[in-house]
Amino acid sequence: MKHLIDILDLSKEEIDELISVAEDIIENPAKYSEKCRGKKLATLFYEPSTRTRLSFESAMYELGGNVIGFSEAGSSSAAKGESVADTARTVECFADIIAMRHPKEGAPLVAAQSVSIPVINAGDGSHNHPTQTLTDLLTIKREKGRLDHLTIGCCGDLKFGRTVHSLISAMSRYDNVEFVLISPEELMIPEHLRTDVLIKNNIPFTETTSLEEAMPKLDILYMTRVQRERFFNEADYVRLKDSYILTPDKLSNAKKDLSILHPLPRVNEISVEIDSDPRACYFKQVLCGKYIRMALILNLLGVN
Amino acid sequence: MIIGSIVNGVVIDHIPAGRGMELYRYLNLEELQCEVALIKNAFSEKHGKKDILKVNEVIDLNFDILGYIAPQITVNIIKDGVRVQKIHPQLPNTITGVIKCKNPRCIVSTEQGLKHVFKLTDRENRIYRCIYCDTKAEPQSFL
Ligand SMILES: [Zn+2]
């Protein structure tokens, strides 16, 4: 692995290796605290994403490395019209590895093609966000002890939600994984995901509009937000929005060991009353995000 | 002229009827100084009608473009009045600078000097996708 642009660039074995390194970091953080001494991570964020940037930066600091970069396009050379390739080539002279967030789809690939240091896609528009998917996989592994033999419910905006698409693609490679896709009819998964990933690989899945009906069989519930602007009319939005907000009563028939995930930020799709429920994993998920990024940085820098 | 016989050159045969002019442009034949003929709506036993391009010079052809436009095309290389080679262009794995990515959110829409590159993702259904944003190539979306 040279760069990480798309989660599907990684084989199942490479993902399993990253997860096992991340779990070792969690067990033995001191062992890793000097691994990247003298190395620099450049966080090139052409649009603000505080959570993702802080996760990358703290990952690098905990490996003993340093961080340079910018957090929005306005404060960078991009504002003066410099190409992504030129910026990447310049930064290559200063840093050992790049994490790039960009509103345009494919920008991190352009950077990767232009430099010889590793490039990590930290989100390119609504296209890919592979470190979020790695975060989700590590969280599931930590919570369940496995990535196979699971029934995964994905709830909310399944049409535009890239985190859900990547999670489905990545989890489809594990044995005996079943999906329950819970969304309003307007926001069902795109056709190419249904045919090219689920049907083509014989992955069992059901599509439903009812979170309550789906709940009892779920091992994992991956929540995403249903956004007002995705609807053609306000009436449909108002009619549907509450069905996809997770509240304690909707959990009444859930498994005792259900794990609730959410890529965050949350607005109102998970009621704050759920936060104290031991099944709520979304803040643990944030922590997993830091550890898997540490494992990824080590891997891409070739540090053992 | 060369409609009847080419001594040293290339005959691109079995072009789908109506697409000869398009190929003429993509192969940059207008830049050639030698004789070039486009025959439209020629009789074809297999396909009813076809277009043919004849070039009275052995030139380097972009077989990726030919394979992408129509895999039924045949290319005949003629030397000393004899066909010395018959080539069936293959569907290319990647195709550069031919298909346009129409996704306005794609980096190719803003990055200077970045070529539009598509990769074959489904050979059976001849589906190409932009390597940057994975948008599917629409038929006829040429640069
Ligand atoms: Zn594109």
Side-chain angles (χ1 to χ4, degrees):
Chain A
M1 181 179 24
K2 178 76 178 59
H3 306 285
L4 179 60
I5 304 300
D6 183 330
I7 191 70
L8 296 177
D9 293 346
L10 297 177
S11 66
K12 188 168 158 263
E13 291 68 32
E14 286 171 316
I15 288 178
D16 292 343
E17 173 62 23
L18 287 173
I19 288 175
S20 90
V21 172
E23 295 202 288
D24 193 52
I25 296 171
I26 294 168
E27 300 306 320
N28 311 288
K31 195 170 120 190
Y32 292 88
S33 63
E34 296 289 325
K35 290 277 186 192
C36 287
R37 176 70 59 209
K39 304 273 187 195
K40 270 175 278 173
L41 164 74
T43 49
L44 310 184
F45 276 52
Y46 288 80
E47 62 179 7
S49 173
T50 309
R51 179 186 329 276
T52 304
R53 187 172 52 84
L54 294 184
S55 180
F56 270 107
E57 296 187 355
S58 60
M60 192 56 169
Y61 284 127
E62 288 194 26
L63 292 167
N66 282 301
V67 177
I68 57 173
F70 52 83
S71 56
E72 53 178 317
S75 62
S76 75
S77 50
K80 301 185 195 111
E82 187 175 55
S83 68
V84 170
D86 282 5
T87 303
R89 277 186 279 242
T90 305
V91 168
E92 183 181 22
C93 303
F94 309 136
D96 301 281
I97 182 167
I98 290 172
M100 179 182 283
R101 174 92 164 198
H102 200 289
K104 289 279 184 183
E105 300 172 15
L109 176 58
V110 171
Q113 289 170 339
S114 314
V115 297
S116 55
I117 61 172
V119 175
I120 302 169
N121 181 357
D124 58 335
S126 56
H127 185 222
N128 284 320
H129 192 3
T131 58
Q132 178 66 52
T133 311
L134 289 174
T135 299
D136 299 340
L137 296 177
L138 175 61
T139 310
I140 294 172
K141 177 73 196 314
R142 297 289 295 167
E143 292 303 312
K144 291 281 170 273
R146 62 182 192 276
L147 288 168
D148 45 20
H149 294 82
L150 290 169
T151 299
I152 302 170
C154 299
C155 177
D157 180 354
L158 308 187
K159 184 174 182 183
F160 298 99
R162 67 176 172 190
T163 54
V164 170
H165 302 167
S166 301
L167 182 68
I168 291 173
S169 300
M171 288 298 298
S172 292
R173 302 196 280 192
Y174 292 88
D175 293 336
N176 278 307
V177 168
E178 183 177 341
F179 293 97
V180 183
L181 306 169
I182 309 145
S183 73
E185 278 175 18
E186 292 88 337
L187 297 176
M188 285 160 73
I189 58 163
E191 187 50 38
H192 68 86
L193 196 64
R194 190 177 294 115
T195 52
D196 296 356
V197 178
L198 294 171
I199 295 173
K200 196 171 166 185
N201 297 307
N202 292 314
I203 314 291
F205 70 100
T206 46
E207 297 186 273
T208 174
T209 56
S210 168
L211 180 55
E212 283 94 333
E213 276 174 33
M215 194 64 86
K217 64 188 299 198
L218 304 181
D219 299 309
I220 306 285
L221 173 59
Y222 196 94
M223 291 294 297
T224 62
R225 190 173 355 136
V226 171
Q227 294 178 64
R228 188 182 298 255
E229 55 270 28
R230 302 298 191 201
F231 283 86
F232 291 115
N233 66 67
E234 182 75 13
D236 282 346
Y237 171 74
V238 171
R239 178 171 55 81
L240 288 166
K241 69 174 170 56
D242 289 346
S243 326
Y244 303 98
I245 290 177
L246 188 61
T247 49
D249 58 296
K250 288 206 185 76
L251 280 179
S252 60
N253 59 353
K255 283 189 183 172
K256 292 282 168 277
D257 64 345
L258 172 74
S259 301
I260 304 163
L261 276 70
H262 188 296
L264 303 183
R266 157 183 64 173
V267 177
N268 62 354
E269 55 277 19
I270 299 177
S271 148
V272 292
E273 296 159 270
I274 307 278
D275 296 359
S276 54
D277 190 305
R279 291 170 287 191
C281 298
Y282 28 94
F283 290 106
K284 288 189 226 167
Q285 203 176 346
V286 178
L287 193 56
C288 284
K290 181 184 71 180
Y291 290 122
I292 200 74
R293 288 179 177 98
M294 289 170 76
L296 179 65
I297 291 168
L298 287 172
N299 183 305
L300 291 173
L301 287 176
V303 179
N304 294 316
Chain B
M1 220 327 253
I2 59 168
I3 297 197
S5 60
I6 291 234
V7 181
N8 287 298
V10 179
V11 177
I12 306 171
D13 202 355
H14 302 291
I15 302 168
R19 302 194 70 180
M21 197 63 210
E22 205 179 333
L23 258 190
Y24 179 91
R25 274 195 289 122
Y26 285 110
L27 295 170
N28 290 320
L29 301 184
E30 72 269 24
E31 288 169 12
L32 295 175
Q33 299 303 315
C34 67
E35 290 173 296
V36 178
L38 165 62
I39 301 157
K40 284 180 63 173
N41 302 322
F43 173 73
S44 159
E45 279 182 20
K46 261 194 238 164
H47 305 288
K49 280 179 177 177
K50 63 179 180 181
D51 289 0
I52 305 169
L53 277 165
K54 296 191 175 192
V55 181
N56 204 9
E57 195 177 287
V58 179
I59 54 165
D60 282 335
L61 285 170
N62 185 334
F63 286 99
D64 288 351
I65 295 180
L66 295 171
Y68 175 70
I69 288 192
Q72 73 266 39
I73 287 174
T74 54
V75 178
N76 302 286
I77 311 290
I78 315 289
K79 283 200 176 131
D80 299 323
V82 181
R83 184 173 77 191
V84 294
Q85 211 182 351
K86 184 174 182 177
I87 304 162
H88 296 276
Q90 300 295 308
L91 213 52
N93 286 321
T94 61
I95 185 157
T96 301
V98 176
I99 316 167
K100 183 180 167 63
C101 178
K102 291 185 171 170
N103 174 6
R105 297 176 310 276
C106 180
I107 188 67
V108 291
S109 66
T110 49
E111 179 83 354
Q112 311 151 31
L114 187 63
K115 289 203 168 106
H116 293 238
V117 184
F118 280 72
K119 60 174 187 261
L120 182 62
T121 57
D122 180 349
R123 184 167 289 274
E124 205 176 312
N125 298 305
R126 299 183 60 198
I127 290 172
Y128 283 84
R129 290 184 185 274
C130 172
I131 64 163
Y132 297 104
C133 69
D134 292 305
T135 296
K136 217 194 237 180
E138 294 167 32
Q140 312 292 321
S141 57
F142 290 102
L143 277 166

PDB file of all heavy atoms in Angstrom, chain B residues 4 6 53 68 73 77 82 87 90 106 110-111 117 121 139:
ATOM      1  N   GLY B   4     -10.271   3.212 -54.466  1.00  0.00           N
ATOM      2  CA  GLY B   4     -10.118   1.855 -54.942  1.00  0.00           C
ATOM      3  C   GLY B   4      -8.984   1.130 -54.256  1.00  0.00           C
ATOM      4  O   GLY B   4      -9.211   0.142 -53.559  1.00  0.00           O
ATOM      5  N   ILE B   6      -5.237   1.193 -51.995  1.00  0.00           N
ATOM      6  CA  ILE B   6      -4.203   1.847 -51.212  1.00  0.00           C
ATOM      7  C   ILE B   6      -2.935   1.053 -51.432  1.00  0.00           C
ATOM      8  O   ILE B   6      -2.974  -0.179 -51.433  1.00  0.00           O
ATOM      9  CB  ILE B   6      -4.596   1.830 -49.729  1.00  0.00           C
ATOM     10  CG1 ILE B   6      -5.785   2.753 -49.519  1.00  0.00           C
ATOM     11  CG2 ILE B   6      -3.427   2.167 -48.840  1.00  0.00           C
ATOM     12  CD1 ILE B   6      -5.609   3.798 -48.486  1.00  0.00           C
ATOM     13  N   LEU B  53     -12.671   4.455 -43.377  1.00  0.00           N
ATOM     14  CA  LEU B  53     -11.653   5.501 -43.488  1.00  0.00           C
ATOM     15  C   LEU B  53     -10.435   4.897 -44.172  1.00  0.00           C
ATOM     16  O   LEU B  53      -9.987   3.807 -43.800  1.00  0.00           O
ATOM     17  CB  LEU B  53     -11.246   6.029 -42.108  1.00  0.00           C
ATOM     18  CG  LEU B  53     -12.139   7.090 -41.472  1.00  0.00           C
ATOM     19  CD1 LEU B  53     -11.822   7.216 -39.987  1.00  0.00           C
ATOM     20  CD2 LEU B  53     -11.962   8.442 -42.160  1.00  0.00           C
ATOM     21  N   TYR B  68     -12.691   1.721 -28.123  1.00  0.00           N
ATOM     22  CA  TYR B  68     -13.753   2.307 -27.312  1.00  0.00           C
ATOM     23  C   TYR B  68     -14.961   2.649 -28.162  1.00  0.00           C
ATOM     24  O   TYR B  68     -16.110   2.378 -27.797  1.00  0.00           O
ATOM     25  CB  TYR B  68     -13.243   3.568 -26.594  1.00  0.00           C
ATOM     26  CG  TYR B  68     -14.337   4.271 -25.845  1.00  0.00           C
ATOM     27  CD1 TYR B  68     -14.877   3.693 -24.690  1.00  0.00           C
ATOM     28  CD2 TYR B  68     -14.863   5.473 -26.298  1.00  0.00           C
ATOM     29  CE1 TYR B  68     -15.902   4.310 -24.002  1.00  0.00           C
ATOM     30  CE2 TYR B  68     -15.892   6.095 -25.604  1.00  0.00           C
ATOM     31  CZ  TYR B  68     -16.411   5.514 -24.467  1.00  0.00           C
ATOM     32  OH  TYR B  68     -17.428   6.126 -23.798  1.00  0.00           O
ATOM     33  N   ILE B  73     -14.807  -2.659 -35.288  1.00  0.00           N
ATOM     34  CA  ILE B  73     -13.922  -2.064 -36.295  1.00  0.00           C
ATOM     35  C   ILE B  73     -12.781  -3.031 -36.626  1.00  0.00           C
ATOM     36  O   ILE B  73     -12.285  -3.729 -35.754  1.00  0.00           O
ATOM     37  CB  ILE B  73     -13.363  -0.722 -35.754  1.00  0.00           C
ATOM     38  CG1 ILE B  73     -14.453   0.351 -35.760  1.00  0.00           C
ATOM     39  CG2 ILE B  73     -12.148  -0.258 -36.549  1.00  0.00           C
ATOM     40  CD1 ILE B  73     -14.038   1.663 -35.125  1.00  0.00           C
ATOM     41  N   ILE B  77      -3.701  -3.024 -42.401  1.00  0.00           N
ATOM     42  CA  ILE B  77      -2.465  -2.330 -42.754  1.00  0.00           C
ATOM     43  C   ILE B  77      -2.040  -2.835 -44.138  1.00  0.00           C
ATOM     44  O   ILE B  77      -1.915  -4.050 -44.354  1.00  0.00           O
ATOM     45  CB  ILE B  77      -1.341  -2.620 -41.729  1.00  0.00           C
ATOM     46  CG1 ILE B  77      -1.831  -2.427 -40.288  1.00  0.00           C
ATOM     47  CG2 ILE B  77      -0.099  -1.786 -42.037  1.00  0.00           C
ATOM     48  CD1 ILE B  77      -2.106  -1.011 -39.872  1.00  0.00           C
ATOM     49  N   VAL B  82      -0.664  -4.833 -50.658  1.00  0.00           N
ATOM     50  CA  VAL B  82      -1.109  -6.096 -50.068  1.00  0.00           C
ATOM     51  C   VAL B  82      -1.438  -5.882 -48.598  1.00  0.00           C
ATOM     52  O   VAL B  82      -0.725  -5.155 -47.895  1.00  0.00           O
ATOM     53  CB  VAL B  82       0.017  -7.166 -50.174  1.00  0.00           C
ATOM     54  CG1 VAL B  82      -0.455  -8.498 -49.573  1.00  0.00           C
ATOM     55  CG2 VAL B  82       0.452  -7.340 -51.617  1.00  0.00           C
ATOM     56  N   ILE B  87      -6.131  -6.000 -37.841  1.00  0.00           N
ATOM     57  CA  ILE B  87      -6.159  -5.827 -36.382  1.00  0.00           C
ATOM     58  C   ILE B  87      -7.580  -5.569 -35.913  1.00  0.00           C
ATOM     59  O   ILE B  87      -8.306  -4.760 -36.498  1.00  0.00           O
ATOM     60  CB  ILE B  87      -5.255  -4.641 -35.965  1.00  0.00           C
ATOM     61  CG1 ILE B  87      -3.826  -4.849 -36.474  1.00  0.00           C
ATOM     62  CG2 ILE B  87      -5.259  -4.464 -34.440  1.00  0.00           C
ATOM     63  CD1 ILE B  87      -2.993  -3.590 -36.505  1.00  0.00           C
ATOM     64  N   GLN B  90      -9.034  -3.853 -29.295  1.00  0.00           N
ATOM     65  CA  GLN B  90      -9.664  -4.370 -28.074  1.00  0.00           C
ATOM     66  C   GLN B  90     -10.248  -3.226 -27.263  1.00  0.00           C
ATOM     67  O   GLN B  90      -9.817  -2.078 -27.379  1.00  0.00           O
ATOM     68  CB  GLN B  90      -8.610  -5.081 -27.210  1.00  0.00           C
ATOM     69  CG  GLN B  90      -7.938  -6.247 -27.891  1.00  0.00           C
ATOM     70  CD  GLN B  90      -8.921  -7.369 -28.173  1.00  0.00           C
ATOM     71  OE1 GLN B  90      -9.629  -7.821 -27.271  1.00  0.00           O
ATOM     72  NE2 GLN B  90      -8.979  -7.823 -29.417  1.00  0.00           N
ATOM     73  N   CYS B 106     -16.181  17.071  -9.925  1.00  0.00           N
ATOM     74  CA  CYS B 106     -14.950  16.298 -10.137  1.00  0.00           C
ATOM     75  C   CYS B 106     -13.751  17.246 -10.268  1.00  0.00           C
ATOM     76  O   CYS B 106     -13.860  18.323 -10.859  1.00  0.00           O
ATOM     77  CB  CYS B 106     -15.088  15.459 -11.398  1.00  0.00           C
ATOM     78  SG  CYS B 106     -13.626  14.474 -11.766  1.00  0.00           S
ATOM     79  N   THR B 110     -11.597  21.573 -12.496  1.00  0.00           N
ATOM     80  CA  THR B 110     -10.866  22.764 -12.049  1.00  0.00           C
ATOM     81  C   THR B 110      -9.352  22.658 -12.139  1.00  0.00           C
ATOM     82  O   THR B 110      -8.675  23.674 -12.246  1.00  0.00           O
ATOM     83  CB  THR B 110     -11.219  23.109 -10.576  1.00  0.00           C
ATOM     84  OG1 THR B 110     -11.097  21.923  -9.793  1.00  0.00           O
ATOM     85  CG2 THR B 110     -12.629  23.652 -10.461  1.00  0.00           C
ATOM     86  N   GLU B 111      -8.806  21.450 -12.069  1.00  0.00           N
ATOM     87  CA  GLU B 111      -7.344  21.307 -11.997  1.00  0.00           C
ATOM     88  C   GLU B 111      -6.719  21.556 -13.376  1.00  0.00           C
ATOM     89  O   GLU B 111      -7.064  20.883 -14.353  1.00  0.00           O
ATOM     90  CB  GLU B 111      -7.007  19.895 -11.494  1.00  0.00           C
ATOM     91  CG  GLU B 111      -5.528  19.588 -11.377  1.00  0.00           C
ATOM     92  CD  GLU B 111      -4.907  20.091 -10.066  1.00  0.00           C
ATOM     93  OE1 GLU B 111      -5.596  20.775  -9.285  1.00  0.00           O
ATOM     94  OE2 GLU B 111      -3.718  19.807  -9.859  1.00  0.00           O
ATOM     95  N   VAL B 117      -9.402  10.834 -17.526  1.00  0.00           N
ATOM     96  CA  VAL B 117      -9.020   9.429 -17.670  1.00  0.00           C
ATOM     97  C   VAL B 117     -10.179   8.562 -17.181  1.00  0.00           C
ATOM     98  O   VAL B 117     -10.712   8.793 -16.102  1.00  0.00           O
ATOM     99  CB  VAL B 117      -7.750   9.098 -16.843  1.00  0.00           C
ATOM    100  CG1 VAL B 117      -7.315   7.655 -17.091  1.00  0.00           C
ATOM    101  CG2 VAL B 117      -6.612  10.065 -17.170  1.00  0.00           C
ATOM    102  N   THR B 121     -14.583  -0.641 -15.932  1.00  0.00           N
ATOM    103  CA  THR B 121     -14.906  -1.277 -14.658  1.00  0.00           C
ATOM    104  C   THR B 121     -15.814  -2.487 -14.848  1.00  0.00           C
ATOM    105  O   THR B 121     -15.996  -3.274 -13.933  1.00  0.00           O
ATOM    106  CB  THR B 121     -15.598  -0.287 -13.695  1.00  0.00           C
ATOM    107  OG1 THR B 121     -16.760   0.229 -14.342  1.00  0.00           O
ATOM    108  CG2 THR B 121     -14.668   0.853 -13.328  1.00  0.00           C
ATOM    109  N   PRO B 139     -22.652   7.590 -23.030  1.00  0.00           N
ATOM    110  CA  PRO B 139     -22.333   7.406 -24.448  1.00  0.00           C
ATOM    111  C   PRO B 139     -22.210   8.782 -25.122  1.00  0.00           C
ATOM    112  O   PRO B 139     -22.945   9.700 -24.766  1.00  0.00           O
ATOM    113  CB  PRO B 139     -23.531   6.629 -24.998  1.00  0.00           C
ATOM    114  CG  PRO B 139     -24.478   6.433 -23.887  1.00  0.00           C
ATOM    115  CD  PRO B 139     -23.928   7.017 -22.642  1.00  0.00           C
TER     116      PRO B 139
END
